Amino acid sequence: YLLRAQPNLLVEAIKHLKRALQLNGRHREAFYDLAVALQESGNHAGATAVVAQGLKIYPQAPELLFLRARLTLDEEKDNPLP
């Protein structure tokens, strides 16, 4: 939320969260935080991919399931059915 006002911080956050996942590919909070940061930066496809990666490891993670639902709703809002 605070990062929206400072896009350069969002870019830095994404860089560091990606590095965190390189160092520990099972860091559950890093999956969520990276997906949120990507979503905030407008990279919905990237956010969806990160959530999918996290759910492969933690299929019942409520925060990832919630974020997947939010991303799906955003996608449907942006691309309504005819």
Side-chain angles (χ1 to χ4, degrees):
Y1 185 76
L2 295 173
L3 295 176
R4 285 187 209 163
Q6 299 184 0
N8 58 326
L9 292 180
L10 188 57
V11 170
E12 279 295 305
I14 290 169
K15 181 176 91 173
H16 290 292
L17 288 163
K18 285 180 177 180
R19 180 68 177 141
L21 285 172
Q22 286 175 346
L23 295 172
N24 179 1
R26 299 184 62 81
H27 196 292
R28 185 168 150 175
E29 289 148 356
F31 281 112
Y32 176 80
D33 291 343
L34 177 56
V36 169
L38 289 168
Q39 180 188 27
E40 290 293 324
S41 73
N43 185 350
H44 296 279
T48 300
V50 169
V51 168
Q53 281 181 300
L55 286 171
K56 285 180 186 175
I57 298 168
Y58 300 105
Q60 299 300 317
E63 69 279 5
L64 293 173
L65 292 168
F66 175 78
L67 187 53
R68 181 177 65 182
R70 241 178 61 194
L71 288 165
T72 301
L73 288 173
D74 287 349
E75 180 67 28
E76 289 175 0
K77 189 184 337 174
D78 292 341
N79 300 306
L81 295 173

